[in-house]
Amino acid sequence: MERELVTLGSGLEQLRKHMNLPKDCATISDTESRSPEPIPWRRWLECEGVPTYYAERAQKALGGPDYSRIIELRDIEQRPPFVILWSENRGNGKTHMATWLFSQWLALDWTAFHDRVEASRRGGPRPGWQPSALWASEYDFTLAMKNYDRRNFSAQEVMGHYARPGLLLIDDFLTEQTSDNDLSNIVELFEKRKNAGRYTIATTNVSPKEIAEEFSLRLADRLLEGVIVHVKAESHRKEIYRQRREA
């Protein structure tokens, strides 16, 4: 049975007309950049590292009680330092909804930035830094920390690439492949981001209790300062496989 899709207004059509094209975005072609038409929002998401699959699908929120808490976070007045989506089950929409929230917060940030730019043109204060965001998996981060080119980059410069964006999504963090060194880097990353007042969204299949007992009590304590959402929905992949077998 298909989940109901809930579309929430985000003003993306109006927003896209005012966004400045990132000069270093390799996913946007020269033809697109020269076109008078606005760049599609999914292309902007790809620019921030969002895989095409999620950039196309996660512009709509999944319906149902498991996702209502995540939907409420879109317009929360004071964003928490961390939003952690965890579940015992894989393939049940955690990454979809994490990416949806990432997309919505980024859109709101760009809208607010544009409003500040317009206000500064009318004699108001300078608009400040423009929004920045990054979508990555734990694998992306830990591999980068292991394989940096010591001739050109230091480990801290690689760390800074993930620590600096105002909004970061880390998908599928803390797995059986997470080494002690990986864990140390993850804890440092989360600490740096919280101390700098930046926002982090993450998905995992590990419960808060397991994080404290099997990985890092320090990390678990930090995450409790944010919002932890337990996604209890069953895997929709299993339902798809079942329907295919019965067809």
Side-chain angles (χ1 to χ4, degrees), residues 1-241:
M1 178 172 158
E2 289 188 15
R3 289 197 187 92
E4 176 189 1
L5 291 177
V6 180
T7 303
L8 300 182
S10 59
L12 294 184
E13 289 299 325
Q14 179 182 2
L15 167 68
R16 286 180 347 206
K17 299 176 183 177
H18 307 292
M19 293 169 69
N20 295 319
L21 183 68
K23 295 182 176 59
D24 59 348
C25 183
T27 67
I28 295 179
S29 68
D30 290 340
T31 301
E32 287 177 296
S33 65
R34 290 194 299 267
S35 171
E37 296 298 320
I39 302 295
W41 181 243
R42 68 174 180 82
R43 301 293 273 152
W44 287 98
L45 294 179
E46 291 171 349
C47 231
E48 309 297 354
V50 179
T52 299
Y53 177 88
Y54 292 111
E56 292 177 346
R57 290 165 176 77
Q59 295 185 46
K60 293 182 179 180
L62 295 172
D66 277 327
Y67 310 106
S68 59
R69 178 64 179 121
I70 305 167
I71 292 173
E72 291 171 0
L73 291 172
R74 176 187 183 269
D75 297 309
I76 192 169
E77 185 172 344
Q78 181 62 47
R79 292 180 186 175
F82 307 110
V83 175
I84 309 299
L85 281 63
W86 81 274
S87 178
E88 307 89 337
N89 303 317
R90 296 184 180 275
N92 64 355
K94 293 189 306 300
T95 300
H96 180 119
M97 285 304 294
T99 306
W100 176 84
L101 183 61
F102 173 92
S103 170
Q104 296 289 305
W105 276 3
L106 182 59
L108 291 170
D109 290 346
W110 271 109
T111 301
F113 177 74
H114 171 254
D115 291 344
R116 295 196 302 271
V117 169
E118 292 300 306
S120 70
R121 290 173 178 167
R122 296 191 295 269
R126 296 179 63 181
W129 296 103
Q130 72 178 34
S132 58
L134 178 65
W135 194 109
S137 66
E138 180 195 278
Y139 178 79
D140 295 331
F141 169 64
T142 56
L143 185 65
M145 290 297 295
K146 292 171 185 173
N147 294 341
Y148 65 87
D149 186 343
R150 289 173 175 80
R151 295 169 299 177
N152 298 313
F153 301 100
S154 69
Q156 286 307 307
E157 285 174 319
V158 175
M159 174 69 73
H161 175 70
Y162 292 87
R164 280 191 299 271
L167 178 61
L168 174 71
L169 190 154
I170 292 287
D171 186 44
D172 199 20
F173 88 114
L174 301 182
T175 70
E176 58 274 9
Q177 279 79 41
T178 304
S179 68
D180 290 343
N181 189 58
D182 293 338
L183 181 60
S184 176
N185 288 328
I186 291 168
V187 173
E188 180 181 353
L189 174 64
F190 279 48
E191 289 272 7
K192 284 179 178 293
R193 294 187 57 76
K194 177 186 178 297
N195 293 340
R198 298 180 179 119
Y199 306 111
T200 305
I201 303 170
T203 69
T204 184
N205 288 99
V206 182
S207 70
K209 183 173 184 291
E210 289 173 313
I211 292 175
E213 294 178 351
E214 301 178 20
F215 289 92
S216 168
L217 180 59
R218 178 182 169 190
L219 177 60
D221 286 342
R222 281 286 176 264
L223 298 182
L224 288 174
E225 298 176 28
V227 173
I228 298 177
V229 181
H230 184 191
V231 181
K232 301 176 183 178
E234 293 295 323
S235 171
H236 62 263
R237 294 174 190 162
K238 291 181 179 179
E239 178 65 18
I240 292 172
Y241 296 151

